Amino acid sequence: MKILLDESEIRKGIHRLAAQLNGRYEHQTLTIVSIMTGSLVMLADLIRCLEMPVRISLIQASSYRGTMTSGELRIQDQMMLDISGRDVLLIDDIFDTGKTLEQVSARLLELQPRSLQTAVFLNKSGQSVVATRPDYVVFEIPNAFVVGYGLDYEDLYRNLPHVAILEPSDIEKHPPI
Ligand code: IMP
Ligand code: MG
């Protein structure tokens, strides 16, 4: 697999994001809503670089598979904290079409947070079909299918410490069981 971002680049990128957030939120309590499962690795690294009081809340979003390609999401929010009146940062692993972040943001806004910002680890350039953009992007990447640092192919490869481009030949060599 071709490595796109190595561990040290990723560490620097997460530190850059943390510095921006530390400036933006200072001593305010920040509620981070992390979209499962892809953003868990970023969450774990990011929160340890944050200086303000942090609350952590998890939400799961998965697109309907099969013949329906409406982009409709199933959102599971049983593990959500109360965010009404709170300063909220929504994080996800990657902004591709943007539908996930847009729809989860809309759901969170219904819960009336005091403020809502969004941060993504990766932005796949030129793929967005929505009008809004994330407030923070750690890395811009080309339009390739990537895995590692939380991102998966068939729920595999999330544990890679780097981000790699997954080629069809990689899948043939290591077919998912
Ligand atoms: P969206 O198209 O912006 O809604 O992205 C939805 C989801 O697709 C992301 O949260 C990822 O789980 C997944 N995804 C998009 N591109 C990639 C990729 O290159 N590798 C792994 N997952 C991806
Ligand atoms: Mg995902």
Short mmCIF file of all heavy atoms in Angstrom, two decimals, residues 1-11 16 93-94 121-125 138-149 151 160-167 170:
data_model
loop_
_atom_site.label_atom_id
_atom_site.label_comp_id
_atom_site.label_asym_id
_atom_site.label_seq_id
_atom_site.Cartn_x
_atom_site.Cartn_y
_atom_site.Cartn_z
N MET A 1 0.84 -1.21 0.00
CA MET A 1 0.00 0.00 0.00
C MET A 1 0.87 1.25 0.00
O MET A 1 1.87 1.31 0.70
CB MET A 1 -0.83 0.03 1.29
CG MET A 1 -2.08 -0.78 1.23
SD MET A 1 -3.02 -0.49 2.71
CE MET A 1 -3.36 -2.17 3.18
N LYS A 2 0.44 2.22 -0.75
CA LYS A 2 1.22 3.46 -0.84
C LYS A 2 0.84 4.38 0.33
O LYS A 2 -0.34 4.72 0.52
CB LYS A 2 0.88 4.15 -2.16
CG LYS A 2 1.67 5.40 -2.43
CD LYS A 2 1.38 5.91 -3.84
CE LYS A 2 2.04 7.23 -4.11
NZ LYS A 2 1.37 8.38 -3.48
N ILE A 3 1.86 4.73 1.11
CA ILE A 3 1.59 5.61 2.26
C ILE A 3 1.40 7.05 1.80
O ILE A 3 2.24 7.59 1.09
CB ILE A 3 2.72 5.51 3.31
CG1 ILE A 3 2.73 4.09 3.90
CG2 ILE A 3 2.53 6.55 4.41
CD1 ILE A 3 3.73 3.88 5.02
N LEU A 4 0.28 7.62 2.20
CA LEU A 4 -0.04 9.00 1.82
C LEU A 4 0.36 9.97 2.94
O LEU A 4 0.87 11.05 2.69
CB LEU A 4 -1.54 9.10 1.54
CG LEU A 4 -2.08 10.35 0.89
CD1 LEU A 4 -1.50 10.52 -0.51
CD2 LEU A 4 -3.61 10.27 0.80
N LEU A 5 0.10 9.58 4.18
CA LEU A 5 0.45 10.41 5.34
C LEU A 5 1.08 9.50 6.38
O LEU A 5 0.46 8.50 6.79
CB LEU A 5 -0.82 11.03 5.94
CG LEU A 5 -1.61 11.98 5.04
CD1 LEU A 5 -3.01 12.21 5.62
CD2 LEU A 5 -0.88 13.31 4.89
N ASP A 6 2.30 9.83 6.80
CA ASP A 6 2.93 8.96 7.79
C ASP A 6 2.62 9.47 9.21
O ASP A 6 2.02 10.53 9.40
CB ASP A 6 4.43 8.81 7.53
CG ASP A 6 5.21 10.10 7.72
OD1 ASP A 6 4.74 10.98 8.48
OD2 ASP A 6 6.28 10.25 7.11
N GLU A 7 3.05 8.68 10.18
CA GLU A 7 2.69 8.96 11.57
C GLU A 7 3.11 10.34 12.03
O GLU A 7 2.38 11.03 12.75
CB GLU A 7 3.37 7.93 12.49
CG GLU A 7 2.64 6.62 12.57
CD GLU A 7 3.28 5.71 13.62
OE1 GLU A 7 3.01 5.89 14.81
OE2 GLU A 7 4.07 4.84 13.21
N SER A 8 4.31 10.76 11.60
CA SER A 8 4.79 12.05 12.10
C SER A 8 4.04 13.21 11.46
O SER A 8 3.72 14.20 12.12
CB SER A 8 6.32 12.13 11.95
OG SER A 8 6.67 13.02 10.95
N GLU A 9 3.70 13.09 10.18
CA GLU A 9 2.87 14.13 9.53
C GLU A 9 1.51 14.22 10.22
O GLU A 9 0.97 15.31 10.45
CB GLU A 9 2.62 13.78 8.07
CG GLU A 9 3.78 13.95 7.13
CD GLU A 9 3.42 13.43 5.73
OE1 GLU A 9 3.57 12.20 5.51
OE2 GLU A 9 3.00 14.24 4.90
N ILE A 10 0.94 13.06 10.52
CA ILE A 10 -0.38 13.03 11.17
C ILE A 10 -0.31 13.71 12.53
O ILE A 10 -1.16 14.53 12.89
CB ILE A 10 -0.91 11.58 11.29
CG1 ILE A 10 -1.19 11.01 9.90
CG2 ILE A 10 -2.17 11.53 12.16
CD1 ILE A 10 -1.59 9.54 9.88
N ARG A 11 0.73 13.37 13.30
CA ARG A 11 0.88 13.97 14.64
C ARG A 11 0.93 15.49 14.54
O ARG A 11 0.26 16.21 15.28
CB ARG A 11 2.14 13.42 15.32
CG ARG A 11 2.17 13.66 16.80
CD ARG A 11 3.38 13.03 17.50
NE ARG A 11 3.66 11.67 17.05
CZ ARG A 11 4.76 11.31 16.38
NH1 ARG A 11 5.68 12.20 16.05
NH2 ARG A 11 4.95 10.05 16.01
N ARG A 16 -1.69 20.85 14.98
CA ARG A 16 -2.12 22.12 14.36
C ARG A 16 -3.60 22.35 14.63
O ARG A 16 -4.01 23.45 14.99
CB ARG A 16 -1.93 22.06 12.83
CG ARG A 16 -0.56 22.46 12.33
CD ARG A 16 -0.61 22.79 10.83
NE ARG A 16 -1.13 21.70 10.01
CZ ARG A 16 -0.39 20.70 9.53
NH1 ARG A 16 0.91 20.66 9.76
NH2 ARG A 16 -0.95 19.76 8.79
N ASP A 93 -14.02 11.33 10.19
CA ASP A 93 -12.75 10.92 9.60
C ASP A 93 -12.51 11.59 8.26
O ASP A 93 -11.41 12.06 7.98
CB ASP A 93 -12.68 9.38 9.47
CG ASP A 93 -13.89 8.76 8.77
OD1 ASP A 93 -14.81 9.49 8.35
OD2 ASP A 93 -13.90 7.52 8.64
N ILE A 94 -13.55 11.63 7.41
CA ILE A 94 -13.32 12.13 6.04
C ILE A 94 -14.56 12.83 5.51
O ILE A 94 -15.68 12.42 5.80
CB ILE A 94 -12.86 10.97 5.12
CG1 ILE A 94 -12.39 11.48 3.75
CG2 ILE A 94 -13.94 9.92 4.96
CD1 ILE A 94 -11.58 10.46 2.97
N PHE A 121 -10.72 14.94 9.65
CA PHE A 121 -9.32 14.58 9.50
C PHE A 121 -8.90 14.77 8.04
O PHE A 121 -7.89 15.41 7.76
CB PHE A 121 -9.14 13.13 9.96
CG PHE A 121 -7.77 12.58 9.79
CD1 PHE A 121 -6.66 13.25 10.31
CD2 PHE A 121 -7.56 11.40 9.09
CE1 PHE A 121 -5.38 12.74 10.14
CE2 PHE A 121 -6.28 10.89 8.92
CZ PHE A 121 -5.19 11.57 9.44
N LEU A 122 -9.69 14.26 7.10
CA LEU A 122 -9.34 14.36 5.68
C LEU A 122 -10.46 15.02 4.89
O LEU A 122 -11.64 14.82 5.17
CB LEU A 122 -9.11 12.96 5.10
CG LEU A 122 -8.05 12.10 5.76
CD1 LEU A 122 -8.00 10.72 5.10
CD2 LEU A 122 -6.67 12.77 5.71
N ASN A 123 -10.08 15.79 3.87
CA ASN A 123 -11.04 16.32 2.91
C ASN A 123 -10.64 15.82 1.53
O ASN A 123 -9.54 16.08 1.07
CB ASN A 123 -11.05 17.85 2.93
CG ASN A 123 -12.06 18.43 1.96
OD1 ASN A 123 -13.14 17.89 1.78
ND2 ASN A 123 -11.71 19.53 1.32
N LYS A 124 -11.54 15.05 0.90
CA LYS A 124 -11.24 14.53 -0.43
C LYS A 124 -11.60 15.60 -1.44
O LYS A 124 -12.77 15.93 -1.60
CB LYS A 124 -12.10 13.28 -0.67
CG LYS A 124 -11.30 12.10 -1.15
CD LYS A 124 -12.19 10.96 -1.48
CE LYS A 124 -11.84 9.75 -0.69
NZ LYS A 124 -12.54 8.54 -1.15
N SER A 125 -10.59 16.13 -2.10
CA SER A 125 -10.85 17.35 -2.89
C SER A 125 -11.77 17.06 -4.08
O SER A 125 -11.65 16.04 -4.75
CB SER A 125 -9.53 17.94 -3.37
OG SER A 125 -8.88 17.01 -4.18
N VAL A 138 -7.88 18.76 8.62
CA VAL A 138 -6.48 18.51 8.99
C VAL A 138 -5.63 18.31 7.73
O VAL A 138 -4.59 18.92 7.59
CB VAL A 138 -6.37 17.30 9.96
CG1 VAL A 138 -4.91 17.10 10.37
CG2 VAL A 138 -7.24 17.53 11.20
N PHE A 139 -6.11 17.49 6.79
CA PHE A 139 -5.36 17.28 5.54
C PHE A 139 -6.31 17.25 4.34
O PHE A 139 -7.37 16.65 4.41
CB PHE A 139 -4.60 15.94 5.55
CG PHE A 139 -3.51 15.87 6.57
CD1 PHE A 139 -3.69 15.15 7.75
CD2 PHE A 139 -2.29 16.52 6.36
CE1 PHE A 139 -2.68 15.08 8.70
CE2 PHE A 139 -1.28 16.44 7.31
CZ PHE A 139 -1.47 15.74 8.48
N GLU A 140 -5.86 17.88 3.24
CA GLU A 140 -6.52 17.75 1.95
C GLU A 140 -5.89 16.55 1.25
O GLU A 140 -4.66 16.43 1.25
CB GLU A 140 -6.27 19.00 1.08
CG GLU A 140 -6.77 20.31 1.66
CD GLU A 140 -8.28 20.47 1.57
OE1 GLU A 140 -8.91 19.72 0.77
OE2 GLU A 140 -8.83 21.34 2.27
N ILE A 141 -6.72 15.70 0.66
CA ILE A 141 -6.15 14.55 -0.07
C ILE A 141 -6.77 14.46 -1.47
O ILE A 141 -7.86 14.97 -1.69
CB ILE A 141 -6.35 13.20 0.67
CG1 ILE A 141 -7.84 12.86 0.84
CG2 ILE A 141 -5.65 13.20 2.01
CD1 ILE A 141 -8.09 11.38 1.10
N PRO A 142 -6.08 13.78 -2.39
CA PRO A 142 -6.66 13.59 -3.72
C PRO A 142 -7.79 12.57 -3.67
O PRO A 142 -8.01 11.92 -2.65
CB PRO A 142 -5.48 13.06 -4.55
CG PRO A 142 -4.54 12.48 -3.56
CD PRO A 142 -4.73 13.23 -2.28
N ASN A 143 -8.50 12.45 -4.77
CA ASN A 143 -9.64 11.53 -4.82
C ASN A 143 -9.17 10.09 -4.99
O ASN A 143 -9.13 9.56 -6.09
CB ASN A 143 -10.58 11.93 -5.95
CG ASN A 143 -11.80 11.04 -6.00
OD1 ASN A 143 -12.14 10.39 -5.00
ND2 ASN A 143 -12.45 10.99 -7.15
N ALA A 144 -8.79 9.48 -3.87
CA ALA A 144 -8.38 8.07 -3.87
C ALA A 144 -9.04 7.42 -2.67
O ALA A 144 -9.44 8.12 -1.73
CB ALA A 144 -6.87 7.96 -3.74
N PHE A 145 -9.15 6.09 -2.68
CA PHE A 145 -9.73 5.41 -1.52
C PHE A 145 -8.62 5.15 -0.52
O PHE A 145 -7.64 4.48 -0.83
CB PHE A 145 -10.42 4.10 -1.92
CG PHE A 145 -11.27 3.59 -0.79
CD1 PHE A 145 -12.56 4.05 -0.60
CD2 PHE A 145 -10.75 2.68 0.12
CE1 PHE A 145 -13.33 3.61 0.47
CE2 PHE A 145 -11.51 2.23 1.20
CZ PHE A 145 -12.81 2.70 1.36
N VAL A 146 -8.77 5.69 0.69
CA VAL A 146 -7.71 5.59 1.68
C VAL A 146 -8.17 4.81 2.91
O VAL A 146 -9.36 4.78 3.23
CB VAL A 146 -7.20 6.99 2.11
CG1 VAL A 146 -6.49 7.67 0.95
CG2 VAL A 146 -8.32 7.85 2.64
N VAL A 147 -7.19 4.21 3.57
CA VAL A 147 -7.47 3.47 4.81
C VAL A 147 -6.41 3.83 5.85
O VAL A 147 -5.36 4.37 5.53
CB VAL A 147 -7.45 1.93 4.59
CG1 VAL A 147 -8.59 1.50 3.70
CG2 VAL A 147 -6.11 1.46 4.03
N GLY A 148 -6.72 3.49 7.11
CA GLY A 148 -5.80 3.71 8.20
C GLY A 148 -6.17 4.91 9.03
O GLY A 148 -7.01 5.72 8.64
N TYR A 149 -5.59 4.99 10.23
CA TYR A 149 -5.89 6.07 11.18
C TYR A 149 -7.42 6.22 11.34
O TYR A 149 -7.96 7.31 11.30
CB TYR A 149 -5.23 7.39 10.74
CG TYR A 149 -5.09 8.37 11.90
CD1 TYR A 149 -4.13 8.20 12.88
CD2 TYR A 149 -5.95 9.46 12.00
CE1 TYR A 149 -4.03 9.08 13.95
CE2 TYR A 149 -5.86 10.35 13.06
CZ TYR A 149 -4.89 10.15 14.03
OH TYR A 149 -4.80 11.03 15.08
N LEU A 151 -9.79 5.04 9.29
CA LEU A 151 -10.55 4.79 8.05
C LEU A 151 -10.47 3.33 7.66
O LEU A 151 -9.40 2.71 7.75
CB LEU A 151 -10.02 5.67 6.92
CG LEU A 151 -10.34 7.14 7.12
CD1 LEU A 151 -9.08 7.96 7.01
CD2 LEU A 151 -11.39 7.60 6.14
N LEU A 160 -4.18 0.90 11.22
CA LEU A 160 -2.89 1.35 10.66
C LEU A 160 -2.54 2.71 11.25
O LEU A 160 -3.41 3.60 11.30
CB LEU A 160 -2.98 1.48 9.13
CG LEU A 160 -3.23 0.22 8.31
CD1 LEU A 160 -3.31 0.58 6.83
CD2 LEU A 160 -2.13 -0.80 8.57
N PRO A 161 -1.29 2.93 11.66
CA PRO A 161 -0.94 4.22 12.25
C PRO A 161 -0.75 5.33 11.21
O PRO A 161 -0.65 6.50 11.55
CB PRO A 161 0.39 3.93 12.97
CG PRO A 161 0.96 2.75 12.26
CD PRO A 161 -0.19 1.95 11.73
N HIS A 162 -0.72 4.94 9.92
CA HIS A 162 -0.58 5.92 8.84
C HIS A 162 -1.84 5.87 7.95
O HIS A 162 -2.70 5.03 8.17
CB HIS A 162 0.67 5.60 8.00
CG HIS A 162 0.72 4.17 7.57
ND1 HIS A 162 1.52 3.23 8.20
CD2 HIS A 162 0.04 3.49 6.61
CE1 HIS A 162 1.34 2.05 7.63
NE2 HIS A 162 0.45 2.18 6.67
N VAL A 163 -1.88 6.76 6.96
CA VAL A 163 -2.96 6.71 5.97
C VAL A 163 -2.37 6.21 4.67
O VAL A 163 -1.35 6.74 4.20
CB VAL A 163 -3.60 8.11 5.77
CG1 VAL A 163 -4.57 8.10 4.59
CG2 VAL A 163 -4.32 8.55 7.04
N ALA A 164 -2.99 5.18 4.09
CA ALA A 164 -2.47 4.61 2.85
C ALA A 164 -3.57 4.55 1.80
O ALA A 164 -4.76 4.49 2.12
CB ALA A 164 -1.95 3.20 3.12
N ILE A 165 -3.13 4.61 0.54
CA ILE A 165 -4.08 4.46 -0.57
C ILE A 165 -4.29 2.97 -0.80
O ILE A 165 -3.32 2.22 -0.95
CB ILE A 165 -3.55 5.14 -1.84
CG1 ILE A 165 -3.44 6.65 -1.59
CG2 ILE A 165 -4.46 4.84 -3.04
CD1 ILE A 165 -2.91 7.44 -2.76
N LEU A 166 -5.54 2.55 -0.81
CA LEU A 166 -5.85 1.13 -1.00
C LEU A 166 -6.12 0.89 -2.49
O LEU A 166 -7.06 1.43 -3.06
CB LEU A 166 -7.08 0.75 -0.18
CG LEU A 166 -7.38 -0.74 -0.10
CD1 LEU A 166 -6.35 -1.46 0.79
CD2 LEU A 166 -8.78 -0.99 0.44
N GLU A 167 -5.23 0.12 -3.12
CA GLU A 167 -5.38 -0.20 -4.54
C GLU A 167 -6.14 -1.52 -4.67
O GLU A 167 -6.08 -2.35 -3.76
CB GLU A 167 -3.99 -0.39 -5.18
CG GLU A 167 -2.99 0.71 -4.92
CD GLU A 167 -3.21 1.92 -5.82
OE1 GLU A 167 -4.20 1.93 -6.58
OE2 GLU A 167 -2.41 2.86 -5.74
N ASP A 170 -4.17 -4.49 -3.63
CA ASP A 170 -4.02 -4.74 -2.18
C ASP A 170 -5.17 -5.61 -1.68
O ASP A 170 -4.99 -6.46 -0.82
CB ASP A 170 -4.04 -3.43 -1.38
CG ASP A 170 -2.90 -2.51 -1.75
OD1 ASP A 170 -1.79 -3.02 -1.91
OD2 ASP A 170 -3.15 -1.29 -1.88
#
